[in-house]
Amino acid sequence: MSTLLRVRRRAAAPALDLVAVLAALAWLFPVYWMVNSALLPTNRLQTPTPTFLPVDGTLANVRRVLADPSFYAAFRVSLLVTGLTLLAAVLFALLAALALSRFRFGGRKGFVVAVLVVQMIPAEALFISQYQVLDGWGLVNRVAGLVLVYVAAILPFTVWLLRGFVAGVPVELEEAAMVDGLSRTGAFFRVTFPLLAPGLVAAGVYGFLQAWNEYTLALVVMTDPGRATLPLWLQGLVESNRATDWGLVMAGSTLIAVPVIAFFLLVQHRMTAGLVSGAVKG
Amino acid sequence: MSAPPASRPVAPVTAPGAAPPAPAPGARRGARRRRRPSAAYLLLVPATLPVAVGLGYPLARQLVISFQEYGLAQQFGRPAEWVGLDNYTALLSDPYVWTVIARSVAFCVVNAALTMALGGALALLLARVRRGPRVALQVSLLLAWGTPVLASMTAWQWLFDSQYGVVNWLLAEGLGLDSMRYHSWLVEPLSFYAVATVIVVWMSVPFVAFTVYAGLLQVPQETREAAQLDGASAWQRLRLVTVPMIRPVLYVVLLLQVIWDLRVFTQIYVLQRAGAPTRETHLLGTYIYSLAKDFSTAGAMATIMLVLTLVLTAAYVRRMLREEDA
């Protein structure tokens, strides 16, 4: 940490500050435009000159989305899928990470290599056979089917991430607690587990983002519009309203984005740190 | 939000592998010997099972099907006929398949390169500018990163809308390019890919910028100052001091970019659905999806994509495995 604290910033050139602000505007604009358009009635959107500020904006578009039962149906499916995926992925990954960094056993290295290699499999090269397998088990259009492929897709990375965190907690701490009279399980839950909290949060955020935002596998597994997740619902909304009702579409997009962005802003720095420690420590 | 949390120190980038101050090997092994390995296997079961069932089994099945004739009749129960490499030779003797492969590789190279260059530049910028602009840039990047892919895809479609899109308005009114007033971006393959590239790069840069920035924070200021005293220019300091020190981070980030950009699906698929000619704009992901009804061909094409990914990334993976040895 000492190097971090000692990073001194030279007085930067004002030109660089300006470049940074311009880059900030460039990256912000599409998100801003989405929100701005969500707050404007359609007759103000489809004009020769764009309206850049929603000064006399309206919540009518947002209200129209919230009055749509299909939005709630999709919201429920997304919430269920995301929650179950998150729970399973974080719990299973934690157990695997403990095994990998607290035990020496035959095949350990092979398992670590497998975790790394599995992440190389492009999901887009597998979706057809995944569909077939789920279809054979009657899991197409089922939350359980989507959760299964999501958990399978997310686990390798969460195992990798948590492995770094568990390895970062010295086993000696646990042993000291055991000398003081705690059982092995007790020592783990009283000493190690609290120290793993940032890692668990990072893994949780990763799982949440993946499951909430995923589109491709949902497209393949949830073929029934009544079982759509939010991204599928939004794409349906776009396709039935494109060129006629962008205000509604932008309101839908904004509503999907708000919970993710709020959650994300809250905890992202942990994720970045986790990514770096995973990347560096291997 | 700029610094990694203090509770979880990040190993210095300078010494990968050897970084954590490990206790004496004997002591460590002693501590571990008391634990039963059978418990370790038990702990691995919950993670292994879903991956084996949801990923491994479909992968194996797909590989088998790619050597078979598996059509509609087989879906209704007729046993599949073994056809050896027929599906592969059929695909690889089709010039169109090579066009799709070449397009995908080109798209991947261009997008990964642009993302790395812009993300790296923004990371350097974050490390150099004053607090105000830095926080502004960080928040913007976070918003772009956190917005769900489908939500930002619809926002970008709206930006590039031919009639009321801001992009056309800016080009026509701002730059006086009158021909752009009602320009349809998605109809021509080249401008289709230009739009796709803008979107993909916009979405991928935040991850690169934050990760490289976090890596930059690990480079001790003293090293750069020493190089400066020795007369190194800013460019030399970057190339000879900073980049080598954050090389592990750069390697991982580039590897991920190559994998992600080669498999890009959502952006291409959604833009195609917005009215682009599909045959002229297919990349590997959407092409395999379009073959979906023909399981054996799709399976063979997916295997080709898998092999291509491995070939393009083999050197990196070898390197990472070597570090695992250390």
Side-chain angles (χ1 to χ4, degrees):
Chain A
M1 277 301 102
S2 59
T3 52
L4 259 185
L5 298 177
R6 258 183 282 135
V7 168
R8 264 165 288 149
R9 295 170 193 282
R10 256 167 302 153
L16 285 183
D17 287 347
L18 184 67
V19 175
V21 170
L22 289 178
L25 289 176
W27 256 267
L28 182 66
F29 188 74
V31 179
Y32 169 74
W33 202 242
M34 174 176 84
V35 179
N36 176 53
S37 306
L39 297 175
L40 291 169
T42 302
N43 62 358
R44 295 274 305 280
L45 287 176
Q46 303 187 336
T47 52
T49 311
T51 309
F52 281 90
L53 280 174
V55 269
D56 50 349
T58 163
L59 288 175
N61 294 321
V62 175
R63 261 188 237 114
R64 279 197 294 153
V65 174
L66 292 179
D68 179 356
S70 71
F71 172 75
Y72 291 100
F75 196 90
R76 244 198 60 222
V77 174
S78 270
L79 210 60
L80 203 58
V81 169
T82 305
L84 289 173
T85 303
L86 202 68
L87 217 65
V90 173
L91 179 66
F92 297 172
L94 175 64
L95 297 178
L98 282 173
L100 290 177
S101 51
R102 287 285 193 261
F103 291 86
R104 287 282 170 272
F105 56 91
R108 182 184 161 279
K109 184 153 174 261
F111 194 88
V112 172
V113 170
V115 167
L116 190 64
V117 172
V118 161
Q119 295 178 64
M120 309 285 299
I121 300 172
E124 277 66 32
L126 266 184
F127 47 36
I128 288 155
S129 56
Q130 281 174 325
Y131 170 82
Q132 276 189 292
V133 168
L134 292 182
D135 194 30
W137 293 338
L139 287 177
V140 166
N141 282 318
R142 301 264 172 213
V143 166
L146 195 58
V147 169
L148 172 65
V149 286
Y150 279 3
V151 170
I154 292 170
L155 263 172
F157 182 77
T158 35
V159 170
W160 192 255
L161 185 75
L162 284 177
R163 190 179 83 107
F165 278 93
V166 177
V169 179
V171 74
E172 287 74 14
L173 280 183
E174 236 173 276
E175 281 159 2
M178 284 164 68
V179 169
D180 290 344
L182 282 176
S183 68
R184 177 170 295 287
T185 321
F188 171 73
F189 278 106
R190 300 278 279 279
V191 178
T192 308
F193 193 72
L195 291 172
L196 289 179
L200 294 172
V201 170
V205 175
Y206 174 77
F208 175 82
L209 289 178
Q210 293 297 311
W212 189 266
N213 296 346
E214 206 281 336
Y215 176 70
T216 311
L217 287 170
L219 177 73
V220 174
V221 176
M222 300 306 220
T223 49
D224 171 6
R227 310 292 290 167
T229 60
L230 281 173
L232 294 177
W233 168 83
L234 181 60
Q235 177 65 359
L237 189 74
V238 177
E239 291 190 354
S240 49
N241 290 293
R242 196 196 332 267
T244 56
D245 206 347
W246 278 108
L248 184 73
V249 170
M250 288 302 113
S253 309
T254 307
L255 281 176
I256 290 180
V258 165
V260 189
I261 288 181
F263 197 45
F264 195 66
L265 288 176
L266 220 63
V267 280
Q268 75 75 33
H269 60 282
R270 296 222 162 98
M271 244 186 101
T272 326
L275 288 172
V276 173
S277 65
V280 175
K281 294 181 86 171
Chain B
M1 104 182 35
S2 56
S7 59
R8 163 88 193 124
V10 174
V13 184
T14 39
R28 171 165 278 192
R29 212 173 300 125
R32 268 172 185 138
R33 201 178 300 136
R34 276 179 278 129
R35 305 198 165 188
R36 286 158 300 143
S38 59
Y41 295 119
L42 219 61
L43 289 173
L44 288 176
V45 170
T48 311
L49 218 57
V51 177
V53 171
L55 222 67
Y57 176 58
L59 182 67
R61 209 184 122 95
Q62 172 172 290
L63 203 62
V64 170
I65 286 178
S66 73
F67 294 108
Q68 291 175 335
E69 178 67 53
Y70 194 102
L72 214 54
Q74 279 69 33
Q75 259 191 290
F76 289 104
R78 260 185 60 185
E81 195 186 324
W82 202 258
V83 295
L85 287 171
D86 280 9
N87 293 317
Y88 290 91
T89 44
L91 278 171
L92 293 176
S93 58
D94 181 353
Y96 178 70
V97 170
W98 286 103
T99 317
V100 172
I101 292 176
R103 261 188 220 153
S104 294
V105 173
F107 187 85
C108 169
V109 168
V110 169
N111 278 269
L114 278 174
T115 305
M116 287 300 288
L118 276 169
L122 291 187
L124 285 172
L125 209 55
L126 284 172
R128 287 289 303 274
V129 296
R130 264 183 284 261
R131 194 182 142 76
R134 187 175 77 243
V135 171
L137 184 53
Q138 280 174 329
V139 170
S140 292
L141 290 174
L142 276 180
L143 288 172
W145 191 6
T147 307
V149 180
L150 243 286
S152 30
M153 279 309 296
T154 60
W156 279 103
Q157 280 174 263
W158 170 225
L159 286 171
F160 278 103
D161 184 63
S162 61
Q163 255 194 301
Y164 304 110
V166 179
V167 175
N168 281 356
W169 178 82
L170 277 175
L171 291 172
E173 301 297 321
L175 298 176
L177 299 169
D178 238 25
S179 61
M180 300 305 284
R181 198 174 298 268
Y182 297 113
H183 183 72
S184 298
W185 286 88
L186 303 180
V187 177
E188 285 288 317
L190 212 59
S191 73
F192 173 94
Y193 287 122
V195 171
T197 299
V198 168
I199 299 175
V200 169
V201 169
W202 177 84
M203 285 180 187
S204 336
V205 156
F207 167 74
V208 176
F210 279 117
T211 313
V212 175
Y213 176 59
L216 284 175
L217 289 179
Q218 306 292 313
V219 178
Q221 184 74 12
E222 288 79 1
T223 323
R224 265 178 298 196
E225 275 166 8
Q228 192 173 12
L229 286 178
D230 289 342
S233 68
W235 173 246
Q236 281 174 322
R237 287 201 300 279
L238 176 67
R239 199 168 57 87
L240 300 172
V241 179
T242 309
V243 169
M245 285 185 133
I246 59 166
R247 186 161 286 151
V249 175
L250 293 177
Y251 269 126
V252 174
V253 172
L254 179 61
L255 171 69
L256 291 173
Q257 289 309 314
V258 168
I259 296 174
W260 288 339
D261 290 338
L262 194 65
R263 67 163 68 160
V264 59
F265 174 84
T266 306
Q267 291 88 341
I268 303 296
Y269 180 78
V270 169
L271 288 179
Q272 285 182 338
R273 296 283 291 240
T278 49
R279 202 179 149 78
E280 282 77 35
T281 54
H282 270 322
L283 297 185
L284 282 166
T286 52
Y287 181 54
I288 293 174
Y289 187 77
S290 77
L291 294 173
K293 288 283 169 288
D294 183 355
F295 290 128
S296 338
T297 315
M301 195 63 221
T303 309
I304 293 172
M305 179 175 176
L306 195 59
V307 170
L308 187 68
T309 311
L310 291 176
V311 166
L312 284 180
T313 53
Y316 276 91
V317 175
R318 261 214 311 278
R319 202 196 131 83
M320 290 173 75
L321 291 184
R322 254 209 317 276
E323 279 175 12
E324 187 62 34
D325 274 330

